[in-house]
Structure formats: C-alpha cells, structure tokens
Amino acid sequence: MSLREERQKKLNHLLSLGMEAYPAKTRRTHTISQVKERFENLASKKAKVVLAGRAKLIREHGKATFVDLEDKEKLQLYFRLDDLGEENYKLFLQVVDMGDFLEAEGTLFLTHMGEQTMRVENWRMLVKSLLPLPEKWHGLVDVETRFRQRYLDLVSNKDVKDIFFKRSLIVKYLREFFDHKGFIEVETPVLQVIPGGATAKPFITHHNALDLDLYLRVAPELYLKRLLVGGFEKVYEVARCFRNEGVDRAHNPEFTQIEFYEAYKDYNDFMNLTEKLLTFLFEKLKIDFLITYQGQKVNFAPPYPRISFRDAMKEYANIDLEEETEKSLKMKAKEMGLSIEENWDFSKVLDEIFKEKVRAKIINPIFIIDYPIEISPLAKKTPNNPNYVERFQLIVAGLEICNAFSELNDPLDQRKRFEAQEALLEKGDEEAQRIDEDFITALEYGMPPAAGEGMGIDRLVAILSDVHNIKEVILFPTMRPKEK
C-alpha cells in the first residue's frame, strides 16, 4: 500500500466516524506569535487557548506524543492519554500524520527543559493531507523541482519563505517612499495595441470580440509619459511586464519593476533620487550598506561613482566606440567569444559587448551614464554631443538594477528615432520598437521636461537576499512543462 493509500484509509476512517476532515472554519483564538508574546500571562492564568496550524514533527512516547505545530511560527503541543481520554488519544494516533492541519485547544506550560508548550485537552482535524511532505528537502539536487512545486519549498524551507517576506516589505517600502514624496500610484494597460517603452520582443495575443491582435506590455513607459502630458507631475506604477526572451539567472519572461516619472527633473536629479531611495530601503530593512552577494562584498553606501558609457567601454572592454565601424566591432566581439548574429547592427553589437564584457565586471554600485543615441530611442540628447543621450543605468554585482532617462519630449526627434527602430524591425530585429503614432500625437500637445526610471524589483530582491538566480525570488517562475 502506498503512502497516499494509507492516508486515504485514515481519511475514510475519519469520515466513517461522522467527523469532518476539511471543515470550513476554525475556532482559533490566537496565532502562535501572539501566544509567545503573552505566554507568561496566559500560562499563569491557565487560560484556554485554541491554535491552528500544520503538524510539522510528531514524536510518540507511549502514552504521550509531542507535535510541533506551525503557522507562521512554531510551538510544541503535548498530547497525553490522561488528558484526552483513551478514545480521543487513540484516534489521534490512528489518523494524524505530519503535514496535517490541526486545531488544538488547551493550556500553556513550560517543560523541564524550559520549552513553551501547550497541554492539549481537545483537538480536531482541519485538513487531512494525502501526500507526505519532503523529509530531506535541503538535499534535493534538482532545484527545478523547488521552483515547480514552490508550495513544498515554502513549507519545507524557512529561508525561502523569509525571502518572500522580505520581497513583500521591499515593495511596501518602495510605495511608501514615493507616496511620501507626493507621487501617485497609477495603473496602465497590460494589453497594448503597440508594444513600446523598451527594446524587447513582445508576446502577442488576440482579442476575439474586437478581432484585434494585442501585445502584453514590455514596459509601461509610454502610457506613464502620456500621464505627464495630461498634467500629472509625479506618477509611479508597480508593473508586471512580459518579454518573449531567453530565460537565465537574470531574466524571466514575466517580471516586476517599478517605473516612476517626475516632471521638471532630469537624469542627474534621478541619480540623486535613486541614491535616496536605496538609502531609505536599507534603513527600513535595517540592513548595513555593506552586504555580501555571492561571496563578494558589495557596498551600497552612496554616493555612487558616475562613469560614461564610452569611458566604461574603454576601461573594461578596451574599445573606443567612436573609433569603431560596424564591421570592426563585430570582429572584436567575435574575438571576445561573443555570439553575434549577422543581421545585428552597430548598436546591437555594442550593447552585447557592454552586457558581457563591461557590466559583468562591475561589483559595487556604479551609474553608467550618457549612452549612445542608437541604443536609447526614448532619451533626450546630451547638450554637448548629439551622439549621446542623458541616460543612466545603475549596475550592481554585474546586474542592471535601474534604467533611467531625461525623457525625450521633442515629437519630431521622437518620430525620427521611432523610424530608425522601425527600419531595424523590418530588417528582422524582433526586439526593435514600433512607431506609436498616438504617443507622438501626445508629445505634440506638449510633455513637460521630465525624468523617468525603471527599477527591477526581482533583481534588487535577489541581490539583497544573496541568491544567484531571480527564480529564487519569484514565487512561481516560468518553467517548461514537465514531461509526463
């Protein structure tokens, strides 16, 4: 008989006695956390307490059994034949397994070893589990199983659960930061007629009633900037975005970022704002600026160095982009061992070299600023050199955490940039941006000078949680279906 069949037999026994195995409600009076906070007072008064949670460990000792009950925290329960009566205690031994959810009523006491414990006077089944929990979860070699069955990962691994508590706090504090600065939170379309706001291949779907192809957004940027046109001066959105791209340790097709925009600011203002935001997060999370990420020390103490894209390419890749042609750059990329497709233009090759040979070498936070115009179709030109734009990325531990611009608000220049992107699209670049006529129309009505920024929440949480793969900080990452 399999373990599932054994548990099914216990379930049937419960039901044959007219007892519920999955009641809709519990009589719980306290969480375990509340009991621990008030333990001395509750124990001295011999107050009746009703707890509910999952049985995580069962240790039988003849006429007494100890159970570790867990909700968010853990408390030891003491089941004794003399307290429950022979029939009730016998039923407990017959039908309860690790993993079941129980309701337990009783009083509190300290054991001889000083452990806080409940003396159970009555109990009932809340959920009869039919499959056993993993016993040695930490020893699993196949990490994909943890991602596919995250519910078991969370039940079995407190460290994993703590990561998602931290993630929740980080999102909460991000909102708190912007709310206190007078930004308003908005919601923009996930389904878009034209995917824009980022260089990425979109997912496509079809709306039957309208007989209309739609795209899952790659970024909320163009809609948020429409709101600047409409008179909102400070906006932000915690946005789920979708990009039909490869999956690796830093990329998931579905991801979360926060994008924020403020009128009458530029990218210098937003570098300062970013430093203030991260300082606020570290203070709220009560962590030191000097953290360890994957065995390396990373110092988040501001201010962060600012280095131009061109100088970074010189320093880390030994390439002066102003002295390169498309042909020579492709040759150097191949010499570096990079995989370059023949239809890639100068900007695409340049971006690939930057990602693999520059960004990967940066550990402490650095603002890379003033990007080439070819790879930045939505950013305003620098006043001293029209070949570059007022854009920055914050790079930490080899990962891009933030991407920001002084936003392009010249409708004529924006059209030219979109047309250049459209030409790349026609040549086969599936990540190139489309011409968005409505967005250009919005700019023609006038968008105030502004700065905008996107911050990747998944990557930020990964760094602050010291995990290598962002799948560790996404509750249900995208996975290939398991073959049956």
Side-chain angles (χ1 to χ4, degrees):
M1 184 182 295
S2 69
L3 289 175
R4 190 185 187 283
E5 289 171 333
E6 288 180 7
R7 292 190 175 212
Q8 178 74 58
K9 187 176 179 180
K10 294 177 181 181
L11 171 62
N12 293 339
H13 181 55
L14 267 176
L15 297 176
S16 70
L17 296 175
M19 302 179 70
E20 290 185 286
Y22 305 96
K25 192 174 182 180
T26 174
R27 298 179 296 111
R28 181 167 78 166
T29 59
H30 299 74
T31 64
I32 292 175
S33 175
Q34 290 168 339
V35 164
K36 289 188 170 183
E37 288 172 4
R38 301 170 53 196
F39 187 87
E40 187 175 340
N41 180 263
L42 292 169
S44 65
K45 293 181 178 179
K46 297 193 180 300
K48 290 290 179 66
V49 172
V50 180
L51 298 177
R54 189 190 288 271
K56 292 297 290 289
L57 187 63
I58 299 175
R59 306 176 299 284
E60 184 183 347
H61 300 284
K63 295 183 179 181
T65 300
F66 292 92
V67 174
D68 287 348
L69 190 76
E70 184 177 289
D71 50 22
K72 186 179 176 182
E73 296 193 34
K74 190 180 295 184
L75 187 77
Q76 178 173 264
L77 306 184
Y78 179 49
F79 292 79
R80 196 171 66 140
L81 185 149
D82 291 347
D83 296 324
L84 294 173
E86 184 174 353
E87 185 176 337
N88 201 6
Y89 184 68
K90 181 179 179 183
L91 178 65
F92 169 80
L93 295 179
Q94 287 175 336
V95 302
V96 174
D97 291 298
M98 283 195 300
D100 293 348
F101 283 84
L102 304 177
E103 178 184 272
E105 180 180 359
T107 56
L108 305 172
F109 72 101
L110 285 175
T111 66
H112 295 304
M113 299 296 292
E115 184 169 356
Q116 295 179 342
T117 304
M118 169 189 275
R119 186 190 304 276
V120 179
E121 299 173 2
N122 200 7
W123 70 276
R124 67 171 179 147
M125 186 73 73
L126 291 180
V127 173
K128 179 62 195 170
S129 61
L130 297 180
L131 291 173
L133 297 176
E135 292 182 13
K136 295 182 179 179
W137 193 254
H138 293 279
L140 279 180
V141 176
D142 182 15
V143 295
E144 285 200 2
T145 304
R146 293 180 43 240
F147 302 147
R148 292 182 190 280
Q149 295 181 289
R150 181 68 85 187
Y151 43 90
L152 290 182
D153 193 16
L154 293 167
V155 167
S156 306
N157 191 339
K158 182 179 181 300
D159 291 342
V160 172
K161 191 180 290 185
D162 287 343
I163 286 173
F164 290 102
F165 283 129
K166 178 184 284 186
R167 180 188 175 110
S168 178
L169 285 175
I170 287 171
V171 174
K172 173 186 174 183
Y173 294 146
L174 287 170
R175 283 190 164 104
E176 184 178 321
F177 178 84
F178 288 106
D179 289 344
H180 286 175
K181 288 192 172 295
F183 286 72
I184 65 165
E185 183 173 7
V186 297
E187 294 173 329
T188 61
V190 172
L191 291 174
Q192 301 181 353
V193 177
I194 298 174
T199 303
K201 182 180 177 180
F203 288 95
I204 187 170
T205 186
H206 188 79
H207 191 289
N208 292 333
L210 296 178
D211 191 22
L212 178 68
D213 284 343
L214 293 168
Y215 300 89
L216 296 182
R217 70 175 170 202
V218 296
E221 176 169 340
L222 300 188
Y223 282 95
L224 291 171
K225 289 198 280 196
R226 284 173 169 94
L227 296 180
L228 297 179
V229 174
F232 290 106
E233 292 190 3
K234 298 180 178 182
V235 294
Y236 77 90
E237 181 173 10
V238 178
R240 299 290 283 179
C241 298
F242 308 84
R243 297 181 184 177
N244 198 351
E245 59 190 13
V247 178
D248 58 32
R249 79 175 190 93
H251 295 86
N252 191 66
E254 180 179 3
F255 64 98
T256 307
Q257 63 174 331
I258 182 168
E259 285 208 12
F260 45 98
Y261 293 78
E262 184 173 358
Y264 312 112
K265 300 293 183 181
D266 69 3
Y267 76 145
N268 288 303
D269 296 314
F270 264 37
M271 280 185 265
N272 297 332
L273 183 68
T274 300
E275 291 174 342
K276 291 176 182 176
L277 171 57
L278 290 172
T279 298
F280 176 83
L281 277 180
F282 274 70
E283 289 174 350
K284 296 293 286 189
L285 293 168
K286 297 180 173 60
I287 56 179
D288 192 81
F289 283 127
L290 184 62
I291 67 168
T292 300
Y293 177 69
Q294 299 299 288
Q296 294 179 307
K297 296 294 183 183
V298 180
N299 191 348
F300 273 90
Y304 307 142
R306 304 179 184 188
I307 180 173
S308 72
F309 185 95
R310 182 186 180 191
D311 287 342
M313 289 290 291
K314 288 180 182 178
E315 180 177 345
Y316 293 102
N318 197 29
I319 288 176
D320 186 344
L321 60 93
E322 294 190 0
E323 295 181 359
E324 300 291 343
T325 64
E326 182 176 314
K327 183 178 180 180
S328 67
L329 196 64
K330 283 183 176 179
M331 187 178 300
K332 287 188 176 181
K334 290 176 181 178
E335 290 172 356
M336 294 174 179
L338 301 180
S339 178
I340 302 298
E341 297 181 19
E342 287 305 317
N343 67 336
W344 284 9
D345 69 344
F346 181 88
S347 63
K348 191 95 171 177
V349 178
L350 187 65
D351 193 41
E352 186 69 12
I353 295 173
F354 173 77
K355 290 175 181 177
E356 298 298 326
K357 298 301 178 181
V358 178
R359 191 174 70 187
K361 297 176 182 178
I362 295 172
I363 303 303
N364 287 319
I366 292 179
F367 287 121
I368 305 295
I369 67 171
D370 298 347
Y371 280 62
I373 192 170
E374 296 91 345
I375 58 175
S376 310
L378 298 169
K380 190 182 287 289
K381 295 174 185 176
T382 58
N384 56 335
N385 190 334
N387 294 322
Y388 296 89
V389 296
E390 293 190 349
R391 174 187 178 186
F392 74 80
Q393 289 185 334
L394 179 63
I395 310 299
V396 184
L399 297 172
E400 171 206 328
I401 303 302
C402 306
N403 186 37
F405 319 138
S406 294
E407 298 296 340
L408 177 58
N409 60 348
D410 177 343
L412 303 180
D413 190 3
Q414 184 64 82
R415 180 176 291 280
K416 290 178 183 177
R417 308 270 196 100
F418 275 155
E419 288 172 348
Q421 286 288 303
E422 193 81 31
L424 293 175
L425 188 68
E426 291 173 359
K427 290 180 181 178
D429 185 351
E430 295 179 309
E431 295 183 346
Q433 299 189 40
R434 280 83 164 161
I435 296 177
D436 189 330
E437 291 289 352
D438 180 74
F439 177 66
I440 293 173
T441 298
L443 292 184
E444 289 180 346
Y445 281 103
M447 187 183 90
E453 181 172 338
M455 175 179 286
I457 290 175
D458 305 316
R459 292 177 187 172
L460 178 62
V461 176
I463 290 174
L464 297 184
S465 301
D466 191 17
V467 294
H468 179 70
N469 195 319
I470 65 166
K471 285 187 174 70
E472 296 284 3
V473 303
I474 298 172
L475 278 168
F476 299 102
T478 305
M479 305 289 291
R480 188 189 302 275
K482 194 172 183 180
E483 294 183 5
K484 295 183 179 180

